[in-house]
Amino acid sequence: LALIAVRQEGWVRDQLLPYLEDLEERGFDFDPSFIIRTMVAVRKGVARLKDIPPTFWEKGNEFETGWQQSKAAINNVIRILHELGILTAYLLPGRNVLIPLFYLDHVHVHGDAKSLRKAFIWLLRATREGRYSGSAITTIDQDLAAIAAATDFDGALTELHARLEHQLTFKPDDMLTRYDEDSFLRLMLYLVAFNRKAEDWKTGQRLGFDRSDNSLNEGFRPEWHHFVPRGRLKKRVPRPTDDQIRSEERRVGKECRSR
């Protein structure tokens, strides 16, 4: 960032910081280093900053082109994420997964909503697998290369999926997981509720929408501790009988012993 500030006088103040503020208002509070790495990935197809020649940072056409292309890709992806219920980056367990998606949009998608919705499935699979949680930069570089080598969007997406092992399938045992300890399952629970147009039981307001004009509430964060309001449940769900409670205790005890 200091290097750019020296070689691009006024750019950080006049362009980068206002854009970061705009993103934060839309729920995506990225730090400057993430944006710079995105710009390098979009323009040069790599994520490792040391691989970028010093001339790239000079004031000129390539830098400005990379900046405009990056903003376009970021804006395209965020627009679809909002539509699908990701109204803030806070919901994502990791943000590095977004960089290949930005690059995919830049190379093959160019804002096409249908394609970005298909790519969202890959984002969820990669998130579940924690694909970019280890050697993130090396992995991102590999996926950027695969995207660049593909002849079209379908080919690129097929290759990205082929690199993953976990599917978006769930077992009953997954429901026994503590959602405050598994951010991915918590994300999926929220997305299912959003997709099914869940409403607040008290106000009738749809989850993720603004009360004033019923538009998407960009930056919305679910209040996880209010997800199942027990006080409301007591009025809607009959209390189990003593026999039902004892039967369930025996079933759970038997299951625990078998494990």
Side-chain angles (χ1 to χ4, degrees):
L1 185 61
L3 175 65
I4 297 174
V6 169
R7 301 195 179 193
Q8 303 273 355
E9 185 176 355
W11 180 81
V12 173
R13 179 188 65 245
D14 300 333
Q15 297 194 51
L16 178 62
L17 294 181
Y19 185 58
L20 288 174
E21 292 175 1
D22 175 63
L23 289 175
E24 185 173 5
E25 289 180 1
R26 289 188 274 162
F28 287 76
D29 52 337
F30 298 141
D31 57 52
S33 63
F34 182 83
I35 296 296
I36 292 170
R37 193 176 302 280
T38 294
M39 184 167 64
V40 166
V42 167
R43 183 60 184 170
K44 308 299 286 186
V46 296
R48 200 178 305 278
L49 298 182
K50 70 177 183 179
D51 293 340
I52 304 303
T55 54
F56 177 79
W57 310 109
E58 300 288 350
K59 192 170 185 178
N61 183 62
E62 185 171 30
F63 183 89
E64 179 60 25
T65 299
W67 173 233
Q68 298 303 328
Q69 291 173 338
S70 299
K71 288 196 296 182
I74 293 171
N75 292 339
N76 289 340
V77 169
I78 287 179
R79 183 176 67 252
I80 296 302
L81 291 180
H82 279 166
E83 175 189 308
L84 297 172
I86 304 294
L87 300 172
T88 170
Y90 156 79
L91 288 170
L92 297 173
R95 300 180 182 185
N96 283 327
V97 69
L98 293 173
I99 294 180
L101 193 57
F102 295 148
Y103 188 58
L104 183 66
D105 175 81
H106 170 66
V107 176
H108 296 294
V109 178
H110 313 296
D112 179 68
K114 183 178 180 180
S115 297
L116 284 174
R117 292 189 197 102
K118 288 178 63 177
F120 183 64
I121 302 300
W122 167 83
L123 179 145
L124 292 177
R125 287 188 63 200
T127 299
R128 185 178 199 182
E129 195 159 307
R131 178 158 179 79
Y132 305 107
S133 59
S135 301
I137 302 305
T138 299
T139 307
I140 292 174
D141 274 345
Q142 292 171 351
D143 289 348
L144 296 181
I147 293 170
T151 57
D152 56 21
F153 166 75
D154 288 333
L157 191 59
T158 298
E159 178 60 28
L160 290 176
H161 275 294
R163 295 163 180 244
L164 301 175
E165 296 181 2
H166 290 79
Q167 299 293 330
L168 286 182
T169 55
F170 300 92
K171 306 183 299 295
D173 284 352
D174 291 330
M175 298 302 103
L176 301 176
T177 302
R178 286 181 59 95
Y179 284 83
D180 56 346
E181 296 178 357
D182 191 321
S183 54
F184 176 76
L185 285 178
R186 187 174 66 178
L187 169 63
M188 291 302 300
L189 178 63
Y190 161 76
L191 289 175
V192 169
F194 181 89
N195 181 260
R196 296 197 174 194
K197 302 180 181 181
E199 296 179 351
D200 186 291
W201 287 359
K202 182 177 182 180
T203 65
Q205 181 62 45
R206 184 179 166 187
L207 179 70
F209 281 70
D210 191 87
R211 293 184 181 181
S212 59
D213 57 5
N214 205 36
S215 61
L216 278 172
N217 186 2
E218 298 176 0
F220 170 77
R221 293 189 179 194
E223 297 184 53
W224 303 112
H225 60 293
H226 291 166
F227 209 93
V228 181
R230 296 182 180 181
R232 304 286 293 184
L233 281 176
K234 288 180 181 178
K235 299 177 182 179
R236 292 171 176 258
V237 181
R239 178 177 174 80
T241 65
D242 291 341
D243 287 342
Q244 288 174 325
I245 293 174
R246 284 191 291 270
S247 176
E248 180 64 12
E249 288 175 343
R250 287 194 296 270
R251 185 193 67 79
V252 172
K254 182 178 180 181
E255 182 177 334
C256 291
R257 287 191 297 272
S258 67
R259 291 184 178 184

